[in-house]
Amino acid sequence: MINGKVTRRGLMLGGLAMLTSGCGSGMRQAMSPISSAFAIPQGMDPRLRRQEVAYQGSEAPGTLVVNTYERFLYAVQDGGSATRYGIAVGEEGLTLKGRATIERKEEWPSWMPTASMIKRKPRLAQYAGGVPGGPNNPLGARALYLYRGGRDTYFRLHGTNEPWLIGQAVSNGCIRLTNEDILHLYDNTPLGTPVLII
């Protein structure tokens, strides 16, 4: 959607059934109906929708704060406010913690399960060669890549083709946002942005 109007691309994507899940629960075996790759799921808790909120933390404007316990990502702004996004987080023990930096950004990123993901979930071996970017990719419409000390952590902030999972702990560690929200975050997050994951 652009300025409240349905675009041709959005309409085409809306007709697709999504086969995948983001960063880690892997590709799904059965198709689930979905009205759009960018749809907010019916019944989604309104608190999980993107909104401007007061921010009382100590992080500087321009920082992304990922609160895995609350299941929110805060894009800290000037004046004591933040844009808050509902997120899905990693399963217990699979979430990155601490500081990182956005060092890479991709539109319609490709995805390949890591060796540790395949070890935990052997069914993912069928995707060891990777899944090309596009509407059926588990990383969704955009991805922001987290680095530490110049090295890829293999953790991402990314979209998802299963927006009904926002608010849950379901991935192999990456942070998922709705495709609509990752587009917003992507457009407003420059390379070099600091990230704190708590």
Side-chain angles (χ1 to χ4, degrees):
M1 248 200 282
I2 298 175
N3 297 328
K5 296 180 182 176
V6 175
T7 63
R8 181 175 175 214
R9 184 177 189 181
L11 186 59
M12 289 173 25
L13 291 173
L16 297 175
M18 299 302 133
L19 298 172
T20 61
S21 62
C23 197
S25 57
M27 306 287 280
R28 294 174 22 160
Q29 300 300 318
M31 294 175 65
S32 296
I34 180 171
S35 60
S36 169
F38 294 91
I40 301 297
Q42 288 185 333
M44 182 179 197
D45 183 338
R47 295 178 323 110
L48 295 172
R49 295 184 181 179
R50 182 177 71 232
Q51 54 193 285
E52 298 300 313
V53 297
Y55 178 75
Q56 299 176 10
S58 60
E59 297 303 312
T63 304
L64 300 181
V65 178
V66 179
N67 187 316
T68 58
Y69 177 75
E70 291 181 350
R71 313 267 164 79
F72 289 122
L73 183 154
Y74 298 87
V76 181
Q77 300 168 0
D78 289 317
S81 67
T83 301
R84 185 179 76 187
Y85 304 84
I87 58 173
V89 300
E91 295 172 3
E92 185 66 33
L94 298 178
T95 300
L96 179 71
K97 299 285 187 178
R99 296 196 180 271
T101 306
I102 304 296
E103 297 288 337
R104 183 174 152 210
K105 296 169 59 171
E106 293 290 332
E107 296 183 10
W108 294 107
S110 61
W111 173 76
M112 181 181 303
T114 64
S116 62
M117 290 167 67
I118 292 171
K119 185 176 180 181
R120 281 192 306 277
K121 298 178 181 178
R123 72 179 186 282
L124 297 180
Q126 64 186 314
Y127 306 109
V131 178
N136 292 324
N137 187 286
L139 296 186
R142 302 288 185 272
L144 304 171
Y145 294 69
L146 299 174
Y147 281 67
R148 280 187 176 156
R151 297 182 131 180
D152 190 352
T153 64
Y154 297 99
F155 288 89
R156 318 282 184 243
L157 308 176
H158 65 80
T160 182
N161 296 324
E162 295 182 324
W164 53 89
L165 295 176
I166 297 300
Q168 299 181 41
V170 292
S171 78
N172 275 312
C174 289
I175 303 301
R176 301 182 195 176
L177 295 86
T178 64
N179 277 328
E180 180 181 40
D181 282 351
I182 195 62
L183 286 170
H184 186 267
L185 184 64
Y186 182 96
D187 289 344
N188 291 288
T189 304
L191 292 176
T193 295
V195 180
L196 173 63
I197 303 149
I198 53 176

